[in-house]
Each structure stands twice: as C-alpha cells, then as structure tokens.
Amino acid sequence: MTQHPTQAVILAGGQGSRLRPYTDDRPKPMVEIPGTGVPIIGHQLAWLAAEGVTDVVVSCGHLAEVLDEWLAKAELPCRVTTVIEREPLGRGGGLKFAARSLPRADEPWYATNGDIWTRFSLREMAAFHGERDATATLALARPRIPWGAVETDEFGHVLDFIEAPPSPYLINAGVYVFSPRFAGLLPERGDHERTTFPRLARERALAGFPLPQGSYWRAIDTAKDLREAAKELADGNPR
C-alpha cells in the first residue's frame, strides 16, 4: 500500500533577481499573486495541507525575516518550521539542509520550489512514485511556448500559424516526491540536478510523473509571469 507523504520541504532561499522590483523588500515566495491578496507560499501551504501534509519545513535565505514575520501572523493550515541558510548551499545542499528538520526521517516527503503555483493531486503522484519503487519522482510539465509557431509542409509552404503552442518537450515542474533514503544522496552544497538526479537516472531509480491533463502549473519567475498568472486567475484558472 502506497504511503502518502505528510511532510514537505519548500525551497525559498533564492534571490529572485529576475522578479525585481517585487523582490527588493521580500523573498520570492512572499510575492503576492495579483488578485488573491496571498503570497505564493500561502497558496503552496494551502495546497500541501489539502493533499494531507501536516508538517512543512521552509528553507529560507534572502530576506528570511520577512517570511518569518508573515508566518507568525498568518493562519496556517499546517505546522511550519523555517531553517535559514547562512550561506548559499545550492538547490541540492538546501534540500539536504532542510530535510534534516523534517519530523519523520524514516518516511517519504514532498518538496517544491518556492516559486511554483500549481494544483494537481500529490496523492496520485505519490502512488505513481510507489508503484515504480522510485527513490525520487519529479513532476513533469509541458509549458506553452511564449511565441507563435509556424507550421509548414515538406515543400516549405506555410500551412498555419499556431499561437503559443505546447512545448514538444516535458520539463521539470519543480515538485517532487522523495523516498526516505534520498536525503542521504544529496550533496552538502551544489545542485542535485547535476549530481544526484543523473546518478538515480542511471540506476533507473528516478521517475517522471506527467502532470494530469488540465492541471494548472506556472513558475513565477518574472514580472510577466505575475501578469499572466493574474490574467489566468481572472479567466477562472487555477481552481
């Protein structure tokens, strides 16, 4: 029987330089989604709690005090602990550092980057992870290409123009399920996508879970992403 994780890590230590000026006085996860009155991390905590998570560890760095102040005042849907990287550890090092504060080291856990706004069933992802006996499973998204595409035939005749088509490639969506042993495979500092993930892929212990059709997913990386997220919200997405 698949064990659905009840604990998670949120990586919230980045500088958010591409999201300035919004991140001049707050970390990226504290940037508000326009029209909601709630910062990105508020949406993430609500989603995680709705998926059965009771304990979240937030790995902080840049302007961590702003995040701590908001957490102290907010009505939180789960227990939240913050840990502060005193020096940049990289994504892999940050995950390892935060994982040490998870309350149940012998149980699986979720993780998400602090700039991801999404809705899909984490329980389904955990079941997928368990069925494949994976050490790590990453969610896979197929984002829309930000430019229009041109369709041609073999003779070079233009057949059609396609506005913002889906990418032909799947990308790492920044949401994960990890088995208990995964934390021990992470580097003390550096990027797990350059070290741990390739190793697990060679061992066939890394799985990829395509987001279900119709699932909402967006990485909030730039001011343009914020504007588009606000438009999508006004149009009724995400739910």
Side-chain angles (χ1 to χ4, degrees):
M1 185 174 179
T2 299
Q3 183 179 10
H4 296 143
T6 58
Q7 54 188 358
V9 166
I10 296 176
L11 286 177
Q15 294 286 325
S17 55
R18 296 181 63 197
L19 203 50
R20 288 176 178 158
Y22 298 98
T23 51
D24 285 344
D25 61 354
R26 69 196 65 194
K28 188 191 286 189
M30 280 301 301
V31 173
E32 222 174 76
I33 300 293
T36 70
V38 178
I40 297 169
I41 194 168
H43 294 281
Q44 291 181 324
L45 291 172
W47 173 50
L48 290 168
E51 291 292 327
V53 173
T54 59
D55 295 271
V56 176
V57 177
V58 183
S59 180
C60 310
H62 174 64
L63 296 173
E65 65 278 5
V66 178
L67 179 54
D68 269 334
E69 183 179 345
W70 181 83
L71 289 170
K73 295 178 180 177
E75 292 186 16
L76 303 175
C78 52
R79 289 182 291 272
V80 180
T81 303
T82 58
V83 294
I84 299 176
E85 295 180 32
R86 298 301 176 185
E87 55 181 335
L89 299 175
R91 288 183 296 175
L95 269 178
K96 191 181 190 81
F97 177 63
R100 293 190 179 110
S101 294
L102 288 170
R104 296 171 289 279
D106 59 342
E107 294 183 11
W109 46 293
Y110 297 118
T112 182
N113 296 339
D115 58 357
I116 301 299
W117 191 26
T118 186
R119 285 292 185 276
F120 66 90
S121 174
L122 285 173
R123 290 182 176 92
E124 287 183 15
M125 186 176 173
F128 180 96
H129 171 85
E131 288 164 4
R132 284 147 186 82
D133 195 26
T135 299
T137 297
L138 54 152
L140 303 175
R142 195 182 298 276
R144 291 195 169 273
I145 297 172
W147 309 281
V150 178
E151 183 182 355
T152 65
D153 64 17
E154 65 269 27
F155 302 108
H157 300 121
V158 173
L159 301 177
D160 200 3
F161 296 89
I162 306 168
E163 186 65 28
S167 167
Y169 299 103
L170 292 166
I171 67 164
N172 181 349
V175 181
Y176 311 93
V177 182
F178 296 134
S179 297
R181 82 179 194 96
F182 178 77
L185 304 177
L186 286 165
E188 292 294 333
R189 68 177 62 235
D191 190 345
H192 58 291
E193 293 190 16
R194 296 181 181 275
T195 54
T196 311
F197 278 178
R199 170 186 169 183
L200 291 175
R202 289 192 297 271
E203 296 172 357
R204 296 294 186 269
L206 181 65
F209 174 76
L211 295 188
Q213 187 172 2
S215 298
Y216 183 82
W217 178 89
R218 177 170 287 281
I220 307 295
D221 196 40
T222 66
K224 182 173 182 285
D225 293 325
L226 273 179
R227 291 193 298 271
E228 291 182 353
K231 182 179 183 302
E232 290 159 352
L233 183 67
D235 292 343
N237 212 349
R239 291 173 293 278

